[in-house]
Amino acid sequence: MGDGGSDTGEDPMLDSLICVAGSSIKRSGFIASHSSDERERRVIFVNAGGEELRRQGHSEIEVETDRFFQGGDVLRTDEEVADGGDLPSIYQSARCGNFCYEFRDLPPGDYSVDLHFAEIVYTNGPRGMRVFNVFIQDEKAVSELDVYSIVGANRALQVMNIPVSAGKDGVVSVNFQGVVGSPTVSGICIKQGAPELQLVSSGRDGKSLLCDNCFAPVKLTAAENKAARMSFTAKYEREIRELKAQCQMKQDECYEAWMSLTAANQELEKVRAELDVKFFQNFTLGQAMEKETEKMAKISSKYEHDRRLWVAAIDELERKMKAIKSEHSQLSFEAHQCANSIPGLNQMVTAVQSLVGQYDDLKMKFNEEQERRKKLYNQLLESKGNIRVFCRCRPLNMEEASSRPQTVVEFTDAKDGDLGVLMNGSNKKIYKFDRVYTPKDDQCDVFEDASPVATSVLDGYNVCIFAYGQTGTGKTFTMEGTEQNRGVNYRTLELLFKIAEDRKKTISYDISVSVLEVYNEQVRDLLASSPPAKRMVVRLEIKQVSEGVNHVPGVVDMKVENVDEVWNILQTGSNARAVGSNNVNGHSSRSHCMICTVVRAKNLVTGECTRSKLWLVDLAGSERLAKTDVQGERLKEAQSINKSLSALGDVISALATKSSHIPYRNSKLTHLLQDSLGGDSKTLMFVQISPSEHDLGETVSSLNFATRVRGVELGPAKKQSDTTEIQKLKLMVRLNNFL
């Protein structure tokens, strides 16, 4: 070619790198040719990793900016590259990594490719740090090229006159694949026309292929050119296979020697370890023998001492045995005298048997009386009104106590159910409730009065217990409590299991629990396994399965066997509940939490089946928006809370006036409680108040609402028969008649 001749000489290493006949390696940079034919042949010259270059003069050179590549990174150096030729700057940049080049839109025909390299990264070696192959049109053109081992660091290297043909698609691809490390290239030049080769006398075999600029040109035909390429390729592949075979043989010999040495070392280590073990065993046995000798001497001394003690103890026991025998003889004599002095012993045995019969009869009568007492007690509760109202006042918190506010609540007649509230100045208003709790009363006192109503669910009655009041007055504490001081929810379920255990011989119970909340007028399942964000999206609807009986399809209903399972469920529901903060309460409940306990009972004697429901409801706190000063999402929550509590007040008013229409469906809260606020259920309300004068308005509002609730008469409660069991019995009767 016109850009310079090859200086590979007779180096067999360089010969092995070239996989295509007619190509050559030059240990210097690009030299421009003055021939116009040579300039016209140059189609594309790319500065890999660099910018566009131009050189004016006798031989104009135009090098394009880096393009046509796919993948790889750019390397650059400011150090001078030796033997860089006419364009040393192209060797100061390179494309590196996993990359390839595709030159498109070339006219179909023969071309030759020149590749320009320089090692600008591993300037201190060693050899073998960067070895790679070059494929042109998917055929290997250069094999295992190591630039550093040929010319060293910061020196130019060319692989020239690689023949290639472009097909109808007009694409020439140059692909670089690393053997060790990442491949690099500094420039690619594509020239039109195949390289011209010749045969001249030289070297080992008397014939070599050289460029036509070096010797008198003798052009080869296409067939000769192809044959020469195949000959070179076959020769180099044969040499490569021989070298690989020799390398593999040496590797096998090294591996066998290494394995033999490793085995010998392992055997030696094993023997050393055994010797260490034997030495340690001998040393340990010697110490053990010394300790055993000392122990035997101590045992012998102790044995002699104990023997003397046992001899003395045996003598003492023999003396005591004689005394006991003497006492036994005396007692036997006295017993015979006593037996002879009691006349009519057989008559006494008959009398005892008669008493046993009377005991069994009294036991049966006691059970009957207990059943009558239970009915009378339920009638007593109904005579007081099925909605019972208990008032509980929380103590002053630390912030209130530090500011020393005036207390507006008086508990002088609290034992009689009277609560005094100082309205304005000296005016005092008296409120009457079924029970009033002072701040000193604890959780046990509260539950003691609530437990008879709660346990009515085991007798087949629907029961509803709910806490109402201003936010921050202790509703959640009354209903839930803490792990050390548990509230009504846990204590009620604990008592249900205790009573169920006492009655298990006559009545079997199945108890299941579900936990819901009404948040922004949406029913959410707090026991669902989905995350909170998804629970907000899932909408649960209330369905009516029979007259006045509601059900929520899809809700998780957990069957419980003991109080530990109950506590875990209550904790899960409490942790999933929506809470927030406002000016009144830093940890305010933002929803109505509703625990539904379903009790299925079957009397093993009479066969009677009941299905009753217990609602334990912690209502969200009533709020005055002007006082809490909430905005955004908290404002929406407060409006929803006040709306549902207003709907609850409408239901209470309708029940109090015995209206023909009760607006249960005005709120999700009242709709869920429809079967427990109606005329066939038992209802208990806790009204929670604050003693602080700052909360007087909210306290009076809560007490007025509780007074309205206490005036509601629902009528006698009814047992809830299990319609499922009734249907099963009817089906069995029909089958028997059919058979």
Side-chain angles (χ1 to χ4, degrees), residues 295-314:
K295 188 183 295 185
M296 286 297 295
K298 291 180 180 179
I299 291 174
S300 298
S301 175
K302 184 178 180 181
Y303 169 75
E304 186 64 26
H305 178 264
D306 290 345
R307 188 184 67 80
R308 290 193 294 269
L309 291 178
W310 281 110
V311 169
I314 290 172

Side-chain angles (χ1 to χ4, degrees), residues 93 112-113 389 403 433 476 556 565 571-572 605 613 631 698:
S93 64
S112 61
V113 179
V389 179
S403 61
F433 298 108
T476 302
V556 176
E565 294 179 359
Q571 285 295 99
T572 300
V605 178
K613 186 183 299 183
Q631 297 178 355
E698 287 79 5

Side-chain angles (χ1 to χ4, degrees), residues 582-696:
N582 53 43
N583 290 347
V584 178
N585 188 1
H587 191 75
S588 174
S589 301
R590 312 308 297 165
S591 65
H592 307 299
C593 183
M594 310 176 69
I595 300 173
C596 180
T597 303
V598 177
V599 178
R600 293 177 175 86
K602 183 176 182 180
N603 192 308
L604 303 179
V605 178
T606 64
E608 179 187 13
C609 297
T610 59
R611 182 184 183 277
S612 51
K613 186 183 299 183
L614 168 63
W615 282 103
L616 299 171
V617 184
D618 178 13
L619 296 175
S622 59
E623 300 179 359
R624 290 188 179 181
L625 301 182
K627 186 172 184 178
T628 56
D629 192 24
V630 292
Q631 297 178 355
E633 189 66 23
R634 292 289 177 264
L635 176 60
K636 180 181 177 182
E637 293 171 349
Q639 290 172 340
S640 297
I641 292 170
N642 290 340
K643 178 182 176 183
S644 60
L645 293 177
S646 177
L648 178 62
D650 293 340
V651 169
I652 295 299
S653 297
L655 291 172
T657 58
K658 300 186 181 300
S659 174
S660 59
H661 171 68
I662 310 298
Y664 290 112
R665 294 178 179 268
N666 286 358
S667 168
K668 298 289 187 182
L669 172 66
T670 55
H671 197 182
L672 278 172
L673 297 178
Q674 179 176 355
D675 53 357
S676 294
L677 291 176
D680 56 354
S681 64
K682 300 182 180 183
T683 306
L684 170 61
M685 170 184 172
F686 287 102
V687 57
Q688 301 281 149
I689 62 172
S690 167
S692 174
E693 62 177 343
H694 299 302
D695 299 322
L696 177 60

Side-chain angles (χ1 to χ4, degrees), residues 392-616:
R392 188 179 192 186
C393 181
R394 69 164 174 82
L396 292 171
N397 57 39
M398 295 179 61
E399 182 179 354
E400 293 171 340
S402 62
S403 61
R404 297 181 179 179
Q406 181 181 356
T407 301
V408 296
V409 182
E410 291 186 356
F411 303 99
T412 306
D413 299 321
K415 293 183 179 180
D416 299 327
D418 292 340
L419 178 70
V421 178
L422 299 176
M423 303 301 289
N424 292 315
S426 59
N427 295 332
K428 182 170 70 173
K429 184 175 180 179
I430 303 298
Y431 291 91
K432 183 71 175 178
F433 298 108
D434 296 284
R435 184 73 163 85
V436 174
Y437 302 100
T438 69
K440 296 181 180 180
D441 292 325
D442 59 13
Q443 300 280 62
C444 295
D445 298 326
V446 174
F447 181 68
E448 182 178 358
D449 295 321
S451 58
V453 177
T455 54
S456 296
V457 71
L458 293 177
D459 301 326
Y461 295 96
N462 284 342
V463 177
C464 177
I465 300 177
F466 65 94
Y468 176 91
Q470 172 198 0
T471 182
T473 53
K475 299 182 298 300
T476 302
F477 178 75
T478 296
M479 299 304 292
E480 295 184 8
T482 63
E483 189 170 359
Q484 295 75 25
N485 194 11
R486 291 168 172 166
V488 172
N489 295 350
Y490 180 86
R491 293 174 186 267
T492 297
L493 291 166
E494 183 181 36
L495 182 59
L496 294 185
F497 278 109
K498 183 178 180 181
I499 296 175
E501 178 67 20
D502 295 339
R503 299 179 182 178
K504 66 180 181 180
K505 293 183 179 180
T506 57
I507 302 175
S508 66
Y509 292 100
D510 287 329
I511 301 175
S512 60
V513 178
S514 58
V515 184
L516 305 172
E517 74 170 349
V518 177
Y519 176 76
N520 285 349
E521 281 303 301
Q522 292 183 6
V523 180
R524 296 165 55 189
D525 188 354
L526 297 184
L527 298 184
S529 59
S530 57
K534 189 172 182 180
R535 285 201 298 267
M536 294 287 288
V537 177
V538 177
R539 298 178 64 90
L540 298 176
E541 298 297 334
I542 306 170
K543 303 295 183 181
Q544 185 166 333
V545 296
S546 62
E547 183 65 27
V549 178
N550 294 326
H551 175 61
V552 181
V555 71
V556 176
D557 195 18
M558 304 288 289
K559 184 176 180 180
V560 289
E561 303 289 345
N562 52 62
V563 291
D564 293 332
E565 294 179 359
V566 169
W567 177 249
N568 292 333
I569 290 174
L570 296 183
Q571 285 295 99
T572 300
S574 179
N575 293 335
R577 187 180 180 186
V579 295
S581 63
N582 53 43
N583 290 347
V584 178
N585 188 1
H587 191 75
S588 174
S589 301
R590 312 308 297 165
S591 65
H592 307 299
C593 183
M594 310 176 69
I595 300 173
C596 180
T597 303
V598 177
V599 178
R600 293 177 175 86
K602 183 176 182 180
N603 192 308
L604 303 179
V605 178
T606 64
E608 179 187 13
C609 297
T610 59
R611 182 184 183 277
S612 51
K613 186 183 299 183
L614 168 63
W615 282 103
L616 299 171

Side-chain angles (χ1 to χ4, degrees), residues 167-181:
K168 294 181 180 180
D169 57 357
V171 176
V172 172
S173 64
V174 183
N175 191 12
F176 298 82
Q177 293 185 1
V179 178
V180 177

